[in-house]
């Protein structure tokens, strides 16, 4: 039966690979010819005293046999044609036996049984014709001693066995090539899948870095914008207050540039110190929220951070992933509050444990309708919702009369 997958062609051979195979075929064919001729009565006669028909058969055997040997050089390019021609050469040539077997083996390695059966019929038929007709013309003693029906059956059986053996060897060679090719294909497929997974992971990491950049840069730049606006529109500020605001603007801009440089370095794959050592900058967690609230309060935007009793002690078991997302959500909520309600107090409530999960709520008063910046449409709420969804939490944001509330629940994942 035919194989499910196409059998790859034989590997290319260099000139010496062809040379030694043809040499073996030629030498083996000459030995078969000498044995055949020596077993006939003509072989015991002196040179030049052969009967005319024996002389003609010998010349035909030599010429046709050498043509068959030459034909095997093209067995890889024209496997069926060469196999048929070399098998047909057995009609008059015993020297062509090795060439026909090599061609049949090459054809069998293609694992196509229909042309192989056709070549087998030609090979067996031509071999029987030689043994039953040509060999009798040579007067071989072994042929004369055996009755024709029995001898024909014996010749047919031996021819079938020999051709079947060669075909099985070639079929197994083709199967081995097919197996090696399947391994190569699997390896290439695994390599492509691995490259796709790496690319997917790289894309996911870039998306994570983009979210981090949005949150961090939004927080820093909102502080800078608020204090820069105070410098521009508050002429009643004292000199000390102006200096303090200018210092905050300078520090915020410097930190924003530094964080932007780090993010761009990761995106570009630069060989910085962290990349060389295989380490990354530490990420904020839930325990860093008091520092964030103090920083925003110092910047002129009061933040009242309230946590349920024992939350900070329990937070040591909270995974860094959930803690980082909770920190970024609160940071983005404070940035939005500073943008839409500058100067208004913000209340942040935290509660939860391992059984109920982590809940946080950020409330701020909206003294007037939030003015949207037409040049920079807000993406803060979308980013917060994406973060919460990544860890399997719930997100809710909405406003009532004069107040805006962000409610988030996150699962309490332990370290």
């Amino acid at each position: 039966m035919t194989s499910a997958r196409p059998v790859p062609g034989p590997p290319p051979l260099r000139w010496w690979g062809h040379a030694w195979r043809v040499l073996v075929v030629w030498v083996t064919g000459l030995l078969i010819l000498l044995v055949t001729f020596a077993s006939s009565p003509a072989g015991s006669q002196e040179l030049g005293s052969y009967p005319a028909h024996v002389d003609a058969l010998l010349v035909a055997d030599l010429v046709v046999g050498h043509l068959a040997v030459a034909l095997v050089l093209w067995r890889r390019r024209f496997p069926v044609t060469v196999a048929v021609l070399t098998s047909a050469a057995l009609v008059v040539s015993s020297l062509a036996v090795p060439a026909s077997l090599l061609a049949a083996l090459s054809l069998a390695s293609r694992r196509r049984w229909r042309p192989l059966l056709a070549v087998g019929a030609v090979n067996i038929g031509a071999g029987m014709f030689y043994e039953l007709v040509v060999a009798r013309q040579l007067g071989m003693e072994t042929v004369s001693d055996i009755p024709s029906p029995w001898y024909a059956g014996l010749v047919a059986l031996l021819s079938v066995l020999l051709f079947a053996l060669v075909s099985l060897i070639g079929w197994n060679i083709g199967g081995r090539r097919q197996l090696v090719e399947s391994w190569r294909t699997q390896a290439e497929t695994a390599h492509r899948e691995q490259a796709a997974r790496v690319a997917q992971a790289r894309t996911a990491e870039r998306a994570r870095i983009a979210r981090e950049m949005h949150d961090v840069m939004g927080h820093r730049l909102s502080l800078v914008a608020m204090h820069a606006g105070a410098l521009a529109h508050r002429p009643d500020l004292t000199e000390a207050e102006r200096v303090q605001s200018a210092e905050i603007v300078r520090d915020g801009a410097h930190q924003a540039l530094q964080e932007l440089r780090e993010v761009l370095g990761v995106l570009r794959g630069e060989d910085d110190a962290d990349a060389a050592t295989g380490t990354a900058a530490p990420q904020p967690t839930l325990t860093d929220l008091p520092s964030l609230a103090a920083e925003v309060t110092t910047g002129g935007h009061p933040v009242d951070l309230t946590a349920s009793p024992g939350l900070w002690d329990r937070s040591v078991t909270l995974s860094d992933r959930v803690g980082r997302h909770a920190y970024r959500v609160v940071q983005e909520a404070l940035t939005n509050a500073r943008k839409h309600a500058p100067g208004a107090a913000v209340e942040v409530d935290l509660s939860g444990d391992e059984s109920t999960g982590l809940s946080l709520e950020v409330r701020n008063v909206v003294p007037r309708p939030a003015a949207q910046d037409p040049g920079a449409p807000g993406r803060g709420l979308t980013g917060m919702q994406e973060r919460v969804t990544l860890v399997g939490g719930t997100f809710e944001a909405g406003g009532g009369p004069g107040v805006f509330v962000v409610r988030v629940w996150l699962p309490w994942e332990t370290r």
Side-chain angles (χ1 to χ4, degrees):
M1 33 180 322
T2 57
S3 58
R5 295 185 301 270
V7 180
L13 290 177
R14 297 185 180 274
W15 67 268
W16 59 82
H18 288 289
W20 75 262
R21 286 171 171 81
V22 173
L23 181 62
V24 170
V25 167
W26 180 66
V27 172
T28 306
L30 287 179
L31 291 176
I32 294 175
L33 176 62
L34 291 176
V35 171
T36 301
F37 184 73
S39 62
S40 66
S44 60
Q45 299 178 12
E46 296 181 359
L47 187 63
S49 60
Y50 307 143
H53 67 280
V54 174
D55 199 7
L57 289 175
L58 178 59
V59 173
D61 198 329
L62 288 171
V63 173
V64 175
H66 281 87
L67 289 176
V69 171
L71 277 176
V72 296
L73 292 172
W74 287 274
R75 70 190 182 281
R76 294 179 168 222
R77 183 176 299 181
F78 310 105
V80 178
T81 303
V82 172
V84 170
L85 293 178
T86 53
S87 295
L90 298 180
V91 172
V92 294
S93 177
S94 59
L95 190 149
V97 171
S100 67
L101 294 179
L102 178 60
L105 185 144
S106 181
L107 177 62
S109 67
R110 309 290 177 129
R111 297 172 72 87
R112 294 181 296 174
W113 62 271
R114 286 188 177 89
L116 187 61
L117 288 180
V119 171
V122 175
N123 188 287
I124 296 171
M128 291 182 63
F129 180 86
Y130 183 89
E131 292 294 335
L132 297 178
V133 178
V134 177
R136 290 187 180 276
Q137 294 296 323
L138 293 175
M140 295 177 59
E141 297 177 359
T142 55
V143 177
S144 304
D145 296 338
I146 302 177
S148 295
W150 291 98
Y151 185 71
L154 180 62
V155 169
L157 178 62
L158 293 178
S159 300
V160 169
L161 291 178
L162 180 60
F163 188 84
L165 176 63
V166 172
S167 299
L168 286 176
I169 294 174
W171 198 274
N172 288 332
I173 292 174
R176 186 179 61 183
R177 290 174 185 165
Q178 192 176 31
L179 181 61
V180 172
E181 182 65 21
S182 67
W183 287 343
R184 183 181 296 108
T185 302
Q186 292 174 6
E188 293 175 353
T189 301
H191 179 73
R192 287 194 298 268
E193 291 177 352
Q194 177 65 18
R197 286 193 292 267
V198 171
Q200 185 178 8
R202 185 181 296 112
T203 301
E205 181 66 14
R206 287 175 180 267
R208 184 191 68 80
I209 293 173
R211 286 193 297 269
E212 297 288 335
M213 184 170 62
H214 172 272
D215 295 341
V216 173
M217 295 297 292
H219 173 70
R220 298 294 181 193
L221 294 180
S222 63
L223 282 175
V224 171
M226 184 181 68
H227 287 279
L231 289 175
H233 302 290
R234 292 286 303 278
D236 57 330
L237 293 177
T238 64
E239 186 63 24
E241 291 174 336
R242 288 182 178 276
V243 171
Q244 182 182 9
S245 296
E247 288 291 335
I248 292 175
V249 170
R250 187 186 67 178
D251 292 342
H254 176 73
Q255 292 176 3
L257 288 175
Q258 182 65 26
E259 290 167 348
L260 179 62
R261 186 178 297 111
E262 292 176 358
V263 170
L264 292 179
V266 174
L267 291 177
R268 293 172 180 170
E270 296 178 349
D271 297 330
D272 54 11
D274 289 340
T277 58
T279 60
Q283 295 293 322
T285 60
L286 191 68
T287 56
D288 294 309
L289 282 178
S291 300
L292 175 64
E295 178 186 1
V296 176
T297 301
T298 303
H301 200 91
V303 177
D304 182 15
L305 177 63
T306 304
S308 61
L311 176 65
W312 302 119
D313 294 335
R314 292 191 298 272
S315 65
V316 297
T317 64
L318 187 65
S319 67
D320 292 340
R321 185 170 77 111
V322 175
R324 182 177 70 253
H325 285 296
Y327 178 93
R328 293 304 187 192
V329 167
V330 174
Q331 184 184 52
E332 181 61 25
L334 295 178
T335 301
N336 288 344
R338 191 163 54 243
K339 175 181 178 182
H340 299 293
V346 181
E347 297 179 359
V348 180
D349 293 332
L350 299 172
S351 62
D353 52 31
E354 295 184 6
S355 60
T356 62
L358 177 64
S359 299
L360 61 91
E361 184 176 293
V362 182
R363 298 184 302 274
N364 65 276
V365 177
V366 183
R368 61 182 184 277
Q372 294 292 336
D373 184 2
R379 297 182 180 271
L381 294 179
T382 302
M384 285 189 284
Q385 186 174 10
E386 289 178 352
R387 282 188 175 277
V388 172
T389 304
L390 282 176
V391 292
T394 59
F395 175 83
E396 180 184 352
V403 66
F404 190 83
V405 182
V406 174
R407 296 184 180 89
V408 173
W409 176 87
L410 299 173
W412 192 286
E413 295 181 357
T414 57
R415 295 177 183 270

